[in-house]
Amino acid sequence: MNTYIESLQWRYATKKFDANKKISDNDLQILLESMRLSASSYGLQPYHIFVITDQAIRKKLQPVSWGQTQIVDASHLIVMANKTEVNNIFIDHYLENVSNTRKIPLEGLNQYADFMKSKVTSLTSEEQNTWAAKQNYIVLGNLLSAAATLEIDTCPMEGFEAAAYNEILGLTEKGLSATVVAAVGYRSSEDETQHYAKVRQPENELFTHL
């Protein structure tokens, strides 16, 4: 691909993957790094990402994913799960990472810590869950764009039963809940969707310059 925009024009939500084509270890690492480097509120990254290749697990997930074939045919299945509670312990662990990475005293972060905790831990459980889940969509956007630049196909998916995913993957006991799924791999030549023209709002309808 010559340009980033051309990469975005090329990508589409792949409906049928070639089950015989697998992503190389090198390209997979680039995709994982693109997710790791994603922006998140306060830099907290209140989520965990599961990279699933085990076909036994994926076959269990398919029936609770509206039976969609992408679940089992894609090279890799990415499940993004948000933390259901963001407490002081989690925030303190993040601040320790900041201190170690930037080589600054932990006590120098006290004011930032107090501010962050006052904003995050004051949220209700439902608000925390919603806030954390939203962060995963930033990760998803980075994954889709990075994959497109590598000519790797993706299909972002909300068509699944989160409670069933939580049970199959044991997420609840980990303090997590499945947010969004992405099938990643290579399009099948039989996928007619790849030939459809991309439909988006025209610029003059989508943007307002003030």
Side-chain angles (χ1 to χ4, degrees), residues 147-190:
T149 64
L150 297 172
E151 293 192 25
I152 293 173
D153 290 295
T154 55
C155 183
M157 308 170 77
E158 287 187 314
F160 67 93
E161 300 171 27
Y165 265 62
N166 293 346
E167 180 178 354
I168 293 169
L169 299 176
L171 301 186
T172 302
E173 51 264 41
K174 295 181 176 73
L176 299 167
S177 181
T179 306
V180 68
V181 174
V184 185
Y186 296 96
R187 65 189 68 176
S188 167
S189 60
E190 298 175 0

Side-chain angles (χ1 to χ4, degrees), residues 72-93:
V72 293
D73 286 345
S75 173
H76 292 69
L77 187 69
I78 310 293
V79 178
M80 302 171 199
N82 64 278
K83 291 187 69 65
T84 54
E85 179 187 8
V86 182
N87 54 29
N88 287 343
I89 295 173
F90 181 77
I91 294 174
D92 286 339
H93 180 69

Side-chain angles (χ1 to χ4, degrees), residues 12 15-16 188-196:
Y12 73 105
K15 302 305 181 187
K16 185 174 178 58
S188 167
S189 60
E190 298 175 0
D191 186 3
E192 292 299 323
T193 315
Q194 66 188 290
H195 304 300
Y196 296 171

Side-chain angles (χ1 to χ4, degrees), residues 62-111:
Q62 187 182 15
V64 295
S65 307
W66 300 1
Q68 297 175 90
T69 60
Q70 298 99 312
I71 298 295
V72 293
D73 286 345
S75 173
H76 292 69
L77 187 69
I78 310 293
V79 178
M80 302 171 199
N82 64 278
K83 291 187 69 65
T84 54
E85 179 187 8
V86 182
N87 54 29
N88 287 343
I89 295 173
F90 181 77
I91 294 174
D92 286 339
H93 180 69
Y94 164 71
L95 291 168
E96 289 173 7
N97 191 14
V98 174
S99 175
N100 293 331
T101 302
R102 296 179 177 171
K103 311 299 182 187
I104 56 178
L106 190 58
E107 54 269 22
L109 298 169
N110 286 342
Q111 187 173 357

